Amino acid sequence: MNDGTAFLNDNARRIAETMIRDAERLRVTVSTGALGETLIDAGAKTQGSIEAGLRMAEASMGGLGTITALMDRNSERWPYSIEVRSSQPVIACLGAQYAGWNLSTDGYFAMGSGPARALARVEPLYETLAYRDEAASAVLILETASPPPQTVVEKVAKATGLPTDKLTFLYAPTQSLAGTVQIVARSLEVALHKANDLKFPIADIVDGIAAAPLPAPHPDFLTAMGRTNDAIIYGGSVQLFVRGSADAARELAKRLPSHTSRDHGKPFKEIFKQFKGDFYAIDPLLFSPARAIVTAIDSGETFRTGRIDAEMLERSLG
């Protein structure tokens, strides 16, 4: 079912086409893989850019999100932030942007995000989403320093029902400018995902906006991963507009911020080491913004919880 919004992959394809057109300006490189797939390197073997990261993030949301780089002159330490907003937050964030498709194989590790997921629908999450995409091509985003091997391209083609030459892969490592941007641009997505984990009826989330500071990239993978996660966990803010009772909105606001997690209180790099690099052993409720505002649009009431942790940002972001 499509609810009247433009189809996710069609939107993402148009964004990818602008990246191809503006490749020199964005400092990205475009190539064709062995199976005819389109490969857009936004930060692995090329410099990439903040603008490339913004477009990657927009493509990952299937064109249903507006992502902006903002400069807050009142913030002395981290004035540069990434803001994301969507009037179709469930489809944009859970249906597309969430990195939920495990594409690891033969020593290659990557989690797929983006609208190709909505064609494949191989994740249990899609059992809760009524949206179905229809497209003649598909776009997938990979947080990695290497293009997908042929086995991954074939896997994506089979799952989406598309020929390999109709697939576009956008990729950049965490350590790059574009990679940093597209990860921090998930501040709204992690809030939606946590709301779903908390069993809040996600269909009642009708609009949303979030922002988090943009940290400096770092050549060390663990440090870069820690910074991007901490930017949201300790520096992110989100506001959701929801239907339903004020009590339900109040409870969501109470439970949504990252401080409700058992693992909150340390830089993410330390948490990751504590669990010996097992990402899935970390409490999933940690992955949410530091501060949450939930507005119950039926009653006009707004509930606020959480706070920005400047001390923790100082420890992590530097």
Side-chain angles (χ1 to χ4, degrees):
M1 183 191 78
N2 183 279
D3 64 355
T5 61
F7 289 110
L8 295 172
N9 281 283
D10 289 344
N11 292 342
R13 186 194 71 247
R14 286 190 284 271
I15 295 168
E17 288 171 351
T18 71
M19 295 183 72
I20 295 170
R21 181 196 67 205
D22 299 334
E24 184 176 357
R25 179 165 68 85
L26 298 176
R27 296 195 297 267
V28 306
T29 58
V30 182
S31 61
T32 301
L35 298 177
E37 71 278 13
T38 299
L39 302 170
I40 302 179
D41 175 358
K45 293 184 178 181
T46 187
Q47 182 72 62
S49 60
I50 289 173
E51 179 62 29
L54 293 173
R55 295 200 201 180
M56 282 185 74
E58 290 177 351
S60 76
M61 298 182 77
L64 297 184
T66 300
I67 302 166
T68 310
L70 302 173
M71 179 68 76
D72 180 3
R73 295 181 180 179
N74 294 319
S75 177
E76 295 183 1
R77 296 290 291 168
W78 308 282
Y80 210 174
S81 63
I82 302 299
E83 179 185 281
V84 54
R85 61 187 188 274
S86 177
S87 295
Q88 297 283 342
V90 175
I91 298 172
C93 294
L94 300 185
Q97 191 180 24
Y98 173 57
W101 191 0
N102 190 343
L103 294 171
S104 301
T105 179
D106 300 327
Y108 180 83
F109 177 80
M111 297 297 292
S113 64
R117 295 174 50 244
L119 287 176
R121 296 181 65 88
V122 296
E123 304 159 45
L125 175 61
Y126 285 94
E127 296 175 7
T128 65
L129 299 178
Y131 179 87
R132 287 184 177 275
D133 204 42
E134 298 175 14
S137 62
V139 177
L140 200 67
I141 285 77
L142 301 174
E143 184 186 332
T144 176
S146 303
Q150 291 186 28
T151 52
V152 170
V153 177
E154 291 169 344
K155 180 178 180 178
V156 173
K158 181 179 180 180
T160 58
L162 296 172
T164 54
D165 64 357
K166 296 298 182 182
L167 302 178
T168 297
F169 295 87
L170 311 178
Y171 66 98
T174 308
Q175 301 96 310
S176 66
L177 276 171
T180 300
V181 170
Q182 74 92 11
I183 297 170
V184 174
R186 296 172 183 270
S187 53
L188 181 60
E189 176 256 298
V190 294
L192 267 289
H193 194 261
K194 184 168 182 177
N196 187 50
D197 285 346
L198 294 172
K199 309 303 181 185
F200 184 85
I202 56 172
D204 286 346
I205 303 175
V206 299
D207 220 309
I209 184 169
L214 179 65
H218 197 282
D220 175 68
F221 169 72
L222 288 180
T223 301
M225 180 178 65
R227 287 181 173 183
T228 53
N229 278 282
D230 288 337
I232 296 174
I233 293 169
Y234 298 110
S237 298
V238 63
Q239 182 164 7
L240 300 179
F241 298 84
V242 304
R243 293 187 296 246
S245 72
D247 287 343
R250 180 188 294 108
E251 184 65 14
L252 178 61
K254 177 182 176 182
R255 302 177 66 190
L256 195 56
S258 57
H259 77 260
T260 60
S261 166
R262 71 173 190 225
D263 294 330
H264 185 273
K266 298 179 182 177
F268 185 81
K269 181 178 179 179
E270 293 182 15
I271 298 171
F272 191 74
K273 289 181 177 179
Q274 175 187 333
F275 288 99
K276 304 185 186 306
D278 184 356
F279 194 89
Y280 296 101
I282 301 170
D283 180 11
L285 299 183
L286 177 66
F287 300 100
S288 55
R291 181 170 57 187
I293 304 171
V294 180
T295 296
I297 60 176
D298 294 335
S299 66
E301 296 176 79
T302 295
F303 307 97
R304 303 170 178 86
T305 57
R307 66 177 183 86
I308 302 299
D309 191 332
E311 179 181 351
M312 198 62 66
L313 291 176
E314 183 74 29
R315 289 176 62 183
S316 177
L317 274 58

